[in-house]
């Protein structure tokens, strides 16, 4: 590299996961001098997206024990990739081969941690209020499915869905609408249900078994044991996000979830954050219980504060090791799990079954910018019981095979969950560790965590105020007779 | 101001210091910024131009300094209609890095994106890259080629007008990289409009 990194910052951020990137953007936004650095040569860490070539290579760089910073507690585990098609097919054949699929490698954006966003969730509100929404595009999920009585069924989400659904009887329609309205109005009284389950509540409402299934497993994304108040909260959240963008409450970011971290990093850079990927991070400079800087290659770089992804931390910072994992599968298939005329972006909420946890299944077509035409990418996400292969066997058996969609390529792995750990116990006071991906469907919890960490580090500072639009920026040195005084403050100059 | 018929996204790449920001500001604001350093908070600049009596809005994106340590986000390249790759004619290393840049472009930009190679700073006396060397490189890689000076306002207008005209031609023959129109744009203004009604789609 021809350039040396500057050697003094207010804050150094190591790792480009979602929480780190949000903190980076927020710090740059209030004028802090930020160094955002990663040992990987890509953005996103455990939240990244890869093309087909790159994800295969990821599987082969097994547990390289780094002499630099980092630990292996949070590494992706149980990586297994399998092809289900021949390596070549005759030139005249229209069947997919490994070769023809790999030729399209770049068209794939395969997420390690696929997420959706609630249309009225905290995350979408933050994107809008901070003006970060301009860096990415979204598609709305076009249908929500569940697995009921041995087959796929469309979950009636909205009022019009409820009425259009021909599997739901007229009486059921009324019941469901009544429930939605009652929850919406907030007039229901739940005080008898404080110690009961959501299932018990729905049963008491005399909903039919099918309706209980729709509401419990799909709309509220609960299990049989979920407390009533949690179930109510989840249902309201689902209903609240309806009708803003598209037919369901959910949005997916075009080109994959890996775009999200990049959007925050771009904002950070636009506000002066210095970015350096692929850096030889050697270690931390500590003085007793105080962080003073990092060693990067031969350089020593100083800062008052360090924020880092938990997976980048020295092993002795990690007192508690991950206890549970997120089981993951990524499949490339040749048909939708439920074919229809138009291409759908499908969310399937698969209920718990036979000792296996409930599973989120996300099916993405080429309109999402994550796979080539005529193919689909299917993500499976669940709390791990035995391991990804075994945990998903029953679902994959039910959804794919002869007469149904075929799996061309599959990839299984587990991501250790760092979200239930106390990551503060062994770290110096001015060091903050960020957890990796969680099991949530969305980013709202990640935003909450990032905001709490930011406020902890920079008390009394505004968290991601709205960035001005280009039209509003007045560049200093120009004579301007407009009186946009308040905006002028936004365009301070850097001294280099 | 907002009555344009076409909106094109143009992105600039190239090594640090080759004059990307100066080119953008020369074109959009007609000035050559004194002194060094990027202006904080500027994401992209907009200029509306006339092509064949049609209003064409160019949205011109700069690298935000992420190129300094080769850390441009992939998402920077998304949805670009044209891409300007800049080197400094008085600085050999900025030319030597072009193949690296092309590799990155191949990987992340649409294959249909209009590509232009620009040798900047022709006002300088200490030229290291002869014009024909740049020209040949561009030809080999199927790119337009132009030499400019942001400082002396040489060819800058022409560079962006050429791009606008070409993209218009492509748009008319429907050969533009097509970015799906049914994606949801959730920026603030549209959302306040859409708050009360359902199923809003924008763009
Ligand atoms: N002589 C001459 N100098 C130029 C020209 N264009 C830019 N410069 C100078 O080159 C330096 C870098 O210009 P910038 O526009 O900041 O370059 P950049 O490519 O945006 O670089 P970074 O944003 O720093 O990565 C500045 O000192 C400019 O004054 C030009 O046409 N002629
Ligand atoms: Mg610049």
């Amino acid at each position: 590299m021809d350039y040396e990194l500057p050697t003094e910052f207010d804050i150094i951020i190591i790792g480009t996961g979602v929480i780190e990137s949000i903190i980076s953007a927020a710090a740059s936004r209030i004028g802090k001098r930020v160094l955002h650095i990663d040992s990987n040569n890509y953005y996103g860490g455990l939240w990244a997206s890869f093309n087909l070539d790159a994800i295969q290579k990821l599987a082969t760089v097994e547990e390289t024990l780094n002499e630099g910073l980092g630990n292996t507690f949070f590494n992706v585990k149980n990586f297994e990739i399998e092809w289900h098609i021949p390596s070549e097919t005759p030139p005249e054949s229209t069947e997919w081969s490994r070769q023809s699929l790999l030729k399209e490698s770049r068209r794939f954006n395969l997420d390690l941690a696929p997420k959706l966003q609630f249309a009225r969730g905290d995350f979408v509100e933050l994107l809008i209020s901070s003006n970060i929404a301009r860096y990415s595009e979204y598609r709305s999920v076009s249908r929500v499915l569940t697995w009921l009585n041995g087959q796929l069924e469309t979950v009636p989400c909205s009022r019009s869905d409820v009425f259009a659904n021909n599997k739901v009887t007229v009486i059921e329609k009324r019941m469901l609408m009544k429930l939605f309205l009652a929850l919406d109005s907030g007039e229901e009284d739940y005080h008898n249900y404080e110690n009961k389950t959501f299932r018990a509540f729905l049963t008491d409402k005399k909903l039919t078994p099918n309706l209980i299934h729709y509401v419990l497993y799909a709309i509220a994304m609960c299990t049989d044991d979920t407390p009533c108040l949690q179930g109510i909260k989840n249902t309201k959240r689902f209903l609240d996000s309806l009708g803003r963008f598209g037919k369901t409450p959910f949005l997916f970011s075009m080109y994959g979830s890996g775009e999200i971290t990049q959007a925050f990093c771009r904002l950070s850079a636009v506000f002066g954050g210095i970015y350096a990927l692929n850096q030889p991070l050697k270690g931390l400079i500590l003085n007793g219980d105080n962080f003073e800087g990092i060693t990067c290659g031969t350089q020593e770089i100083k800062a008052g504060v360090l924020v880092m992804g938990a997976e980048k931390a020295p092993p002795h910072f990690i007192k508690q090791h991950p206890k549970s994992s997120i089981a993951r599968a990524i499949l490339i298939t040749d048909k939708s799990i439920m074919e229809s005329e138009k291409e759908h972006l499908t969310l399937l909420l698969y209920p718990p079954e036979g000792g296996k946890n409930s599973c989120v299944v996300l099916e993405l077509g080429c309109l999402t910018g994550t796979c080539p035409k005529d193919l689909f990418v299917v993500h499976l996400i669940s709390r791990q019981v035995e391991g990804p292969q075994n945990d998903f066997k029953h679902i994959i058996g039910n959804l794919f095979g002869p007469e149904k969609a075929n799996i061309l390529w599959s990839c299984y792995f587990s991501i250790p969950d760092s979200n239930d750990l106390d990551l503060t116990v062994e770290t110096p006071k001015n060091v903050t560790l960020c957890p990796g991906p969680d099991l949530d469907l969305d980013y709202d919890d990640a935003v909450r965590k990032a905001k709490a960490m930011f406020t902890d580090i920079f008390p009394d500072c505004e968290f991601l105020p709205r960035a001005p639009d280009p039209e509003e920026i007045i560049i200093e040195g120009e004579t301007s007779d407009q009186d946009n005084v308040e905006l002028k403050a936004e365009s301070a100059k850097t001294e280099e | 101001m907002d009555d344009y018929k076409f909106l094109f996204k143009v992105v600039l790449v190239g090594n640090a210091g080759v004059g990307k920001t100066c080119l953008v500001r020369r074109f959009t604001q007609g000035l050559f910024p004194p002194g060094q350093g990027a202006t904080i908070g500027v994401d992209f600049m907009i200029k509306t131009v006339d092509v064949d009596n049609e209003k064409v809005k160019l949205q011109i994106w700069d690298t935000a300094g992420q190129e300094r340590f080769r850390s441009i986000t992939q998402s920077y390249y998304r949805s670009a209609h044209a891409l300007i790759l800049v080197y400094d004619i008085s600085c050999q290393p900025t030319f030597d890095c072009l193949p690296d840049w092309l590799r990155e472009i191949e990987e992340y930009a649409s294959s249909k994106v209009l590509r232009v190679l620009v040798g900047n700073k022709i006002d300088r006396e200490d030229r290291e890259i002869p014009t024909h060397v740049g020209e040949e490189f561009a030809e080999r890689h199927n790119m337009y080629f132009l030499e400019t000076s942001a400082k002396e306002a040489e060819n800058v207008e022409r560079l962006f007008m050429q791009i606008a005209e070409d993209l218009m031609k492509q748009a008319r023959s429907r050969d533009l990289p097509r970015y799906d129109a049914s994606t949801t744009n959730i920026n603030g203004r549209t959302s306040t409009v859409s708050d009360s009604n359902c199923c809003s789609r924008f763009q």
Side-chain angles (χ1 to χ4, degrees):
Chain A
M1 190 47 48
D2 335 12
Y3 295 87
E4 291 244 296
L5 286 163
T7 50
E8 256 200 66
F9 291 89
D10 296 321
I11 174 170
I12 295 175
I13 299 173
I14 301 177
T16 48
V18 165
I19 295 180
E20 299 93 295
S21 301
I22 296 175
I23 295 173
S24 172
S28 291
R29 187 67 191 81
I30 56 165
K32 300 293 171 189
R33 295 170 305 162
V34 176
L35 173 65
H36 199 171
I37 201 165
D38 201 325
S39 46
N40 299 330
N41 63 359
Y42 52 86
Y43 280 95
L46 293 167
W47 310 71
S49 309
F50 297 91
N51 67 35
L52 187 53
D53 241 355
I55 204 163
Q56 307 224 111
K57 292 198 180 108
L58 202 66
T60 56
V61 283
E62 270 292 323
E63 310 258 319
T64 42
L65 260 175
N66 29 3
E67 46 178 309
L69 269 177
N71 61 72
T72 53
F73 310 131
F74 304 104
N75 280 12
V76 168
K77 301 200 166 60
N78 307 325
F79 224 115
E80 271 176 77
I81 283 180
E82 203 181 328
W83 286 96
H84 306 265
I85 46 177
S87 74
E88 276 178 66
T89 46
E92 67 278 7
S93 166
T94 54
E95 304 279 299
W96 287 99
S97 69
R98 282 180 215 192
Q99 231 176 25
S100 60
L101 212 56
L102 279 171
K103 236 198 218 136
E104 304 282 324
S105 163
R106 274 190 47 212
R107 293 189 186 277
F108 289 99
N109 283 299
L110 306 169
D111 297 344
L112 290 184
K115 296 274 180 195
L116 296 176
Q117 287 115 62
F118 277 93
R120 275 184 233 276
D122 291 350
F123 184 74
V124 168
E125 296 305 341
L126 176 68
L127 288 179
I128 294 171
S129 67
S130 63
N131 222 347
I132 291 175
R134 64 175 173 227
Y135 299 123
S136 31
E137 295 163 74
Y138 302 86
R139 282 196 84 80
S140 50
V141 171
S142 56
R143 63 182 178 189
V144 179
L145 306 179
T146 186
W147 183 260
L148 173 62
N149 304 328
Q151 58 186 23
L152 290 171
E153 297 286 358
T154 308
V155 176
C157 303
S158 62
R159 188 189 284 253
S160 55
D161 266 10
V162 172
F163 287 103
N165 193 312
N166 54 18
K167 296 278 173 69
V168 180
T169 67
V170 176
I171 297 169
E172 285 180 319
K173 281 176 185 163
R174 282 202 205 112
M175 280 179 185
L176 204 53
M177 284 315 298
K178 212 172 127 198
L179 178 76
F180 287 173
L181 282 173
L183 289 176
D184 232 15
S185 72
E187 281 161 19
E188 272 287 326
D189 189 3
Y190 310 110
H191 76 263
N192 285 331
Y193 289 93
E194 263 143 21
N195 299 314
K196 291 190 187 164
T197 63
F198 189 46
R199 181 180 260 287
F201 170 80
L202 296 173
T203 312
D204 289 352
K205 288 268 158 213
K206 305 236 166 10
L207 296 194
T208 61
N210 282 2
L211 288 187
I212 290 179
H213 181 106
Y214 287 138
V215 177
L216 184 69
Y217 298 131
I219 291 175
M221 287 172 251
C222 290
T223 66
D224 291 337
D225 313 321
T226 307
C228 176
L229 296 185
Q230 185 65 44
I232 303 273
K233 208 169 133 200
N234 292 4
T235 310
K236 284 188 69 138
R237 181 173 187 215
F238 185 102
L239 297 175
D240 281 349
S241 279
L242 276 173
R244 186 176 201 178
F245 310 111
K247 288 199 174 102
T248 72
F250 306 108
L251 296 173
F252 177 74
S253 63
M254 288 280 295
Y255 310 109
S257 302
E259 295 285 296
I260 294 296
T261 65
Q262 295 178 34
F264 284 92
C265 290
R266 164 91 189 171
L267 186 89
S268 180
V270 164
F271 281 90
I274 305 276
Y275 274 81
L277 299 179
N278 209 9
Q279 293 300 306
L281 298 176
K282 295 282 195 264
L284 305 183
I285 305 163
L286 300 170
N287 181 0
D289 191 35
N290 198 40
F291 161 82
E292 294 190 333
I294 62 168
T295 322
C296 179
T298 54
Q299 279 191 289
E300 288 198 352
I301 306 172
K302 303 270 165 148
V305 178
L306 175 71
V307 170
M308 70 198 312
E311 77 279 11
K312 307 284 187 193
H316 64 270
F317 279 11
I318 309 291
K319 181 77 172 278
Q320 299 180 315
H321 294 185
K323 292 184 279 283
S324 67
S325 286
I326 301 167
R328 288 276 295 111
I330 309 175
L331 315 171
I332 297 173
T333 66
D334 61 354
K335 253 191 234 134
S336 171
I337 50 173
M338 188 159 142
E339 285 196 281
S340 88
E341 261 164 54
K342 84 178 238 273
E343 181 185 310
H344 276 288
L345 203 176
T346 309
L347 170 65
L348 160 62
L349 296 160
Y350 201 101
E353 206 177 275
K356 299 288 162 40
N357 289 321
S358 59
C359 177
V360 169
V361 181
L362 197 58
E363 186 186 70
L364 311 168
C366 84
L367 293 177
T368 60
T370 61
C371 69
K373 210 165 166 294
D374 301 323
L375 293 177
F376 288 87
V377 167
V378 182
H379 289 285
L380 288 86
I381 311 144
S382 181
R383 170 74 61 208
Q384 182 162 308
V385 182
E386 290 171 37
Q389 294 262 16
N390 279 338
D391 289 357
F392 297 139
K393 211 183 223 155
H394 62 297
I395 303 174
I396 287 174
N398 283 336
L399 298 180
F400 305 99
E403 317 269 294
K404 298 179 200 159
N406 291 301
I407 299 174
L408 311 182
W409 175 92
S410 58
C411 168
Y412 292 90
F413 54 94
S414 323
I415 303 177
D417 189 348
S418 44
N419 284 273
D420 45 3
L421 307 179
D422 181 357
L423 294 170
T424 61
V425 276
E426 295 293 321
T427 58
K429 265 193 292 302
N430 54 347
V431 173
T432 306
L433 299 189
C434 307
D438 54 30
L439 199 63
D440 289 0
L441 190 60
D442 64 314
Y443 294 105
D444 289 4
D445 197 51
V447 169
R448 250 181 318 268
K449 285 186 173 129
K451 188 174 178 178
M453 288 174 187
F454 171 82
T455 313
D456 212 38
I457 300 168
F458 303 113
D460 308 319
C461 290
E462 196 177 351
F463 179 67
L464 286 169
R466 180 173 171 281
D469 283 321
E471 295 90 338
E472 303 164 352
I473 294 169
I474 294 168
I475 307 225
E476 265 178 50
E478 276 172 85
T479 44
S480 157
D481 45 15
Q482 293 158 335
D483 52 353
N484 286 343
V485 186
E486 73 284 4
L487 292 170
K488 210 160 179 170
E490 309 277 15
S491 60
K493 284 235 167 187
T494 41
E495 284 96 31
E496 293 209 16
Chain B
M1 184 59 178
D2 259 328
D3 60 334
Y4 58 90
K5 225 177 175 159
F6 296 90
L7 171 74
F8 298 125
K9 175 174 170 183
V10 180
V11 304
L12 282 100
V13 291
N15 280 25
V18 297
K20 297 179 294 296
T21 305
C22 290
L23 284 167
V24 178
R25 296 193 54 188
R26 166 61 74 194
F27 176 65
T28 55
Q29 303 172 303
L31 53 85
F32 184 70
Q36 284 236 335
T39 307
I40 292 293
V42 178
D43 218 335
F44 51 83
M45 296 247 178
I46 285 174
K47 185 160 169 167
T48 307
V49 297
D50 279 325
V51 179
D52 305 335
N53 294 321
E54 300 269 28
K55 291 242 180 295
V56 177
K57 191 165 169 175
L58 295 178
Q59 195 186 62
I60 307 163
W61 291 66
D62 200 352
T63 49
Q66 286 181 320
E67 80 282 21
R68 219 155 304 162
F69 303 99
R70 309 228 102 226
S71 306
I72 293 190
T73 55
Q74 289 179 37
S75 67
Y76 177 70
Y77 293 95
R78 306 261 189 234
S79 322
H81 297 100
L83 197 147
I84 304 176
L85 175 53
V86 189
Y87 66 92
D88 173 352
I89 59 114
S90 67
C91 179
Q92 184 74 41
T94 67
F95 186 82
D96 296 339
C97 279
L98 294 181
D100 292 342
W101 282 111
L102 282 181
R103 225 168 295 132
E104 185 158 322
I105 293 165
E106 284 298 319
E107 178 117 12
Y108 302 139
S110 154
S111 54
K112 281 193 170 176
V113 70
L114 176 73
R115 297 160 196 210
V116 186
L117 181 65
V118 168
N120 188 37
K121 306 198 188 178
I122 50 171
D123 57 281
R124 288 185 62 133
E125 314 263 283
D126 54 345
R127 182 190 274 272
E128 290 184 358
I129 323 288
T131 306
H132 71 91
V133 173
E135 227 162 36
E136 280 158 23
F137 185 92
E139 210 164 293
R140 248 198 331 274
H141 294 96
N142 249 322
M143 306 168 86
Y144 283 96
F145 179 69
L146 212 60
E147 285 192 333
T148 60
S149 164
K151 188 170 175 205
E152 302 297 334
E154 280 243 6
N155 274 344
V156 178
E157 188 80 12
R158 193 166 143 215
L159 165 67
F160 287 98
M161 287 309 289
Q162 187 78 51
I163 287 172
E165 283 165 25
D166 255 75
L167 289 174
M168 274 281 273
K169 244 185 252 148
Q170 287 185 24
R172 293 215 159 104
S173 62
R174 302 189 155 272
D175 206 23
L176 216 54
R178 257 187 290 162
Y179 302 110
D180 185 37
S182 68
T183 58
T184 304
N185 182 345
I186 58 171
N187 71 45
R189 264 158 306 169
T190 40
S191 78
T192 48
V193 180
S194 70
D195 253 331
S196 53
N197 57 26
C198 99
C199 308
S200 308
R201 304 213 160 207
F202 312 106
Q203 270 184 350

